[in-house]
Amino acid sequence: MQLGSPFYIIGQGLAGTFISFQLNQRGIEHQVISTPELSKSSEIAAGLINPIVLKRLKWVSGAELFWPALLPFYRQLEELLEGSYLISSNLIHLFKQPGTVNQWLEKSSLPHFENHLGPTGTELPDGVISENYGWGQLKNIYWVQTAALLLAYREYLVKRDQYLESAVPNNPKAFRNFLKERKLSPNQVIVCTGHLTKALTQEKATIFTPTKGEVLVVRAPDLPQENIWHSKVFALPLGNALFKVGATYAHQNLNDKPTSEGLAELIAGFKAIYTGSFDIVSHEAGVRPNVKDRKPLLGKIPNGPYIFNGFGSRGTLLGPYLSGIMANHLLTSDDIPPQWDINRFI
């Protein structure tokens, strides 16, 4: 593709926003086409940026590459949008089994882990946190105000005449018509439609394993707001005694409709952290674009469009670094590392 020819990014969730920002930083002409109400996955995401899998105390694969890219990327994006969206925080992880504290302390001296596994303890606010086997502080992490960021970037694109709100193709026939109506080649299209990409790229549908996630926003006036709290679920402080609580994982009913089962699971998980009174402010659902090997999808389908997708629940961690990889690939045809190249599934 010749430089100067426009790209069309389909979808303006986190993936579409990140790759659009990278292209704009490089002065590359493009337009974003999206239907905001089509999928809520990015909008309702808690946006946690954590390089450690707390359930198993394992390092997220590739996090040593992703982490250094975070601050420069988000600070440049904040400067562009004249807002603050990346929030520095700590997290209190409540241990559910005896002996977990020993594993925490052993790993806290290892490379990478030492920057994030902080002190442990047993004392907790009286009458607020349920009994447990102690806690560990996960330090030097972040979270992103995803809904506010997406809206601000959409407004930025609108001002630059780079945004079109339109029905996006959701099956192979609709995609062919989309190309025909706009006289486009697949080489000009970057698909960032989350789990909906499964229906759009029929030949790659089997590599997606989407999961439904539900979250609550609750008002809990007696829960301390200095940290994120985590047990079976997380409770992320939003200010004014509000917390985002999540998230569930389900493989059925893959839509954006909250369920009574999800509600019950979230309430039970929150009560394992907090014993005080609380009110439910909202209950939302979305579908994560997971991939069967749990790694994102970058590159180009042979004779098809480009794909930048499949970040699961870690888009805010992986996206800044990998959007740079993708942008360089579009501009210079630099190889995409094989562990992320979509054609690893051929």
mmCIF file of all heavy atoms in Angstrom, residues 21 36 50 96-97 108 156 169 199 210 285 305:
data_model
loop_
_atom_site.group_PDB
_atom_site.id
_atom_site.type_symbol
_atom_site.label_atom_id
_atom_site.label_comp_id
_atom_site.label_asym_id
_atom_site.label_seq_id
_atom_site.Cartn_x
_atom_site.Cartn_y
_atom_site.Cartn_z
ATOM 1 N N PHE A 21 -4.572 6.441 17.329
ATOM 2 C CA PHE A 21 -3.642 7.389 17.941
ATOM 3 C C PHE A 21 -2.237 7.201 17.384
ATOM 4 O O PHE A 21 -1.541 8.178 17.058
ATOM 5 C CB PHE A 21 -3.656 7.215 19.454
ATOM 6 C CG PHE A 21 -2.638 8.060 20.180
ATOM 7 C CD1 PHE A 21 -2.724 9.434 20.167
ATOM 8 C CD2 PHE A 21 -1.587 7.461 20.867
ATOM 9 C CE1 PHE A 21 -1.777 10.223 20.832
ATOM 10 C CE2 PHE A 21 -0.650 8.224 21.530
ATOM 11 C CZ PHE A 21 -0.741 9.614 21.520
ATOM 12 N N PRO A 36 -20.925 2.996 18.496
ATOM 13 C CA PRO A 36 -20.573 2.890 19.919
ATOM 14 C C PRO A 36 -21.446 1.930 20.715
ATOM 15 O O PRO A 36 -20.956 1.246 21.619
ATOM 16 C CB PRO A 36 -20.733 4.332 20.425
ATOM 17 C CG PRO A 36 -20.553 5.175 19.216
ATOM 18 C CD PRO A 36 -21.123 4.387 18.071
ATOM 19 N N ASN A 50 -2.104 -4.344 35.350
ATOM 20 C CA ASN A 50 -1.442 -5.136 36.378
ATOM 21 C C ASN A 50 -0.630 -6.232 35.689
ATOM 22 O O ASN A 50 -1.186 -7.053 34.960
ATOM 23 C CB ASN A 50 -2.498 -5.748 37.307
ATOM 24 C CG ASN A 50 -1.922 -6.814 38.221
ATOM 25 O OD1 ASN A 50 -0.718 -6.834 38.481
ATOM 26 N ND2 ASN A 50 -2.774 -7.710 38.688
ATOM 27 N N LYS A 96 -6.800 -16.062 50.347
ATOM 28 C CA LYS A 96 -7.908 -16.976 50.642
ATOM 29 C C LYS A 96 -7.445 -18.318 51.182
ATOM 30 O O LYS A 96 -8.263 -19.149 51.576
ATOM 31 C CB LYS A 96 -8.745 -17.193 49.372
ATOM 32 C CG LYS A 96 -9.497 -15.956 48.923
ATOM 33 C CD LYS A 96 -10.301 -16.202 47.668
ATOM 34 C CE LYS A 96 -9.398 -16.361 46.462
ATOM 35 N NZ LYS A 96 -10.173 -16.479 45.200
ATOM 36 N N GLN A 97 -6.131 -18.532 51.177
ATOM 37 C CA GLN A 97 -5.601 -19.812 51.655
ATOM 38 C C GLN A 97 -4.396 -19.569 52.558
ATOM 39 O O GLN A 97 -3.604 -18.652 52.304
ATOM 40 C CB GLN A 97 -5.176 -20.694 50.469
ATOM 41 C CG GLN A 97 -6.308 -21.120 49.572
ATOM 42 C CD GLN A 97 -5.804 -21.946 48.404
ATOM 43 O OE1 GLN A 97 -4.635 -21.872 48.036
ATOM 44 N NE2 GLN A 97 -6.685 -22.740 47.815
ATOM 45 N N SER A 108 8.522 -11.949 45.942
ATOM 46 C CA SER A 108 8.715 -10.500 45.992
ATOM 47 C C SER A 108 10.157 -10.068 45.759
ATOM 48 O O SER A 108 10.418 -8.887 45.511
ATOM 49 C CB SER A 108 8.231 -9.955 47.344
ATOM 50 O OG SER A 108 9.013 -10.459 48.411
ATOM 51 N N TYR A 156 -12.262 14.081 19.712
ATOM 52 C CA TYR A 156 -11.069 14.540 18.990
ATOM 53 C C TYR A 156 -11.148 14.149 17.519
ATOM 54 O O TYR A 156 -10.871 14.968 16.621
ATOM 55 C CB TYR A 156 -9.826 13.951 19.663
ATOM 56 C CG TYR A 156 -8.556 14.071 18.867
ATOM 57 C CD1 TYR A 156 -7.841 15.255 18.832
ATOM 58 C CD2 TYR A 156 -8.056 12.969 18.157
ATOM 59 C CE1 TYR A 156 -6.659 15.362 18.104
ATOM 60 C CE2 TYR A 156 -6.879 13.071 17.438
ATOM 61 C CZ TYR A 156 -6.191 14.260 17.404
ATOM 62 O OH TYR A 156 -5.030 14.369 16.682
ATOM 63 N N PRO A 169 -19.860 -3.597 9.451
ATOM 64 C CA PRO A 169 -20.174 -4.940 8.958
ATOM 65 C C PRO A 169 -20.017 -5.990 10.038
ATOM 66 O O PRO A 169 -19.070 -5.950 10.833
ATOM 67 C CB PRO A 169 -19.154 -5.139 7.829
ATOM 68 C CG PRO A 169 -18.059 -4.170 8.109
ATOM 69 C CD PRO A 169 -18.697 -3.005 8.779
ATOM 70 N N ALA A 199 -17.550 -13.082 13.740
ATOM 71 C CA ALA A 199 -18.548 -13.239 12.688
ATOM 72 C C ALA A 199 -18.090 -12.624 11.375
ATOM 73 O O ALA A 199 -18.529 -13.027 10.305
ATOM 74 C CB ALA A 199 -19.865 -12.601 13.123
ATOM 75 N N PRO A 210 -14.557 -15.930 23.043
ATOM 76 C CA PRO A 210 -15.034 -14.786 23.824
ATOM 77 C C PRO A 210 -15.690 -15.196 25.133
ATOM 78 O O PRO A 210 -16.256 -16.286 25.245
ATOM 79 C CB PRO A 210 -16.054 -14.123 22.884
ATOM 80 C CG PRO A 210 -16.473 -15.199 21.941
ATOM 81 C CD PRO A 210 -15.290 -16.094 21.777
ATOM 82 N N ALA A 285 -22.854 -5.259 31.298
ATOM 83 C CA ALA A 285 -22.191 -6.458 30.767
ATOM 84 C C ALA A 285 -21.532 -6.140 29.429
ATOM 85 O O ALA A 285 -21.932 -5.206 28.721
ATOM 86 C CB ALA A 285 -23.196 -7.597 30.603
ATOM 87 N N PRO A 305 -8.604 -8.369 5.403
ATOM 88 C CA PRO A 305 -8.211 -7.110 6.051
ATOM 89 C C PRO A 305 -7.101 -7.301 7.070
ATOM 90 O O PRO A 305 -6.725 -8.424 7.416
ATOM 91 C CB PRO A 305 -9.509 -6.694 6.744
ATOM 92 C CG PRO A 305 -10.142 -8.005 7.107
ATOM 93 C CD PRO A 305 -9.838 -8.931 5.951
#
